[in-house]
Amino acid sequence: MSTITKSVDVEAPVSDVYNQWTQFADFPHFMEGVERVEERDNTHTHWTITVAGVSREFDATITEQHPDERVAWKSDDGPNHAGVVTVHRLDEHQTRVTVQMDIDPEGFVENVADKLGILDRRVQGDLDRFKTFLENRGGSETGAWRGDVQRPGQS
């Protein structure tokens, strides 16, 4: 299992950055290899991705979500991974987005990509493209989901 932690500072208020991150259907606009994300309900998503030319599908569950703070998830099937995205207000118009992912690469190609640091660069590239995507919109998000999902075992 590998852990990847990457950050980017975005020129937009924390609420706008958080709101955009909750718009999973927009992920293909800035995430390399993500073909489609379907929101099945408030906590379940279905992903179609391409890795090294191979199309894969998997389901993921939002395990914790708090507006203007964090979104955490885990895969239900397919590539074994989990992670959390946090947003931190730096000032009124600037937000730091930090992604921490635990990934268990599946197969030879993904293991080689992990060892060569390709996965690290891909996550940073996705964050950099997220920044550009939002800043090119003047910091205006395409939508928002402000629901709160408690970590399992908490009420």
Side-chain angles (χ1 to χ4, degrees):
M1 182 83 61
S2 294
T3 299
I4 297 171
T5 303
K6 298 294 178 186
S7 296
V8 70
D9 294 345
V10 179
E11 292 291 330
V14 70
S15 288
D16 293 341
V17 173
Y18 173 85
N19 289 345
Q20 185 60 58
W21 198 270
T22 66
Q23 299 308 290
F24 303 114
D26 286 333
F27 281 14
H29 293 292
F30 55 85
M31 286 190 171
E32 184 180 344
V34 175
E35 302 296 325
R36 181 180 165 128
V37 182
E38 298 171 45
E39 296 177 48
R40 299 272 168 94
D41 60 32
N42 290 340
T43 59
H44 296 94
T45 56
H46 181 78
W47 294 65
T48 303
I49 63 171
T50 302
V51 178
V54 177
S55 183
R56 294 197 174 141
E57 295 189 31
F58 65 91
D59 294 318
T61 298
I62 304 297
T63 57
E64 185 179 10
Q65 185 165 341
H66 305 294
D68 300 340
E69 291 180 19
R70 68 192 302 120
V71 177
W73 75 92
K74 68 173 186 61
S75 60
D76 298 329
D77 55 15
N80 185 19
H81 67 279
V84 62
V85 173
T86 56
V87 293
H88 304 276
R89 180 185 185 276
L90 298 177
D91 63 34
E92 189 176 329
H93 302 288
Q94 192 170 9
T95 302
R96 177 162 295 146
V97 180
T98 301
V99 174
Q100 181 178 340
M101 293 178 62
D102 294 322
I103 301 172
D104 190 5
E106 209 176 63
F108 176 76
V109 172
E110 290 175 10
N111 274 291
V112 169
D114 181 36
K115 300 284 188 263
L116 294 176
I118 294 169
L119 297 178
D120 276 23
R121 288 191 297 279
R122 185 177 227 180
V123 171
Q124 187 63 57
D126 290 347
L127 279 175
D128 293 342
R129 285 185 294 277
F130 173 78
K131 170 186 172 71
T132 300
F133 179 80
L134 190 53
E135 288 178 356
N136 283 348
R137 300 178 56 77
S140 177
E141 74 271 12
T142 61
W145 188 74
R146 306 288 297 173
D148 199 63
V149 176
Q150 294 297 320
R151 187 176 339 155
Q154 293 187 341
S155 45

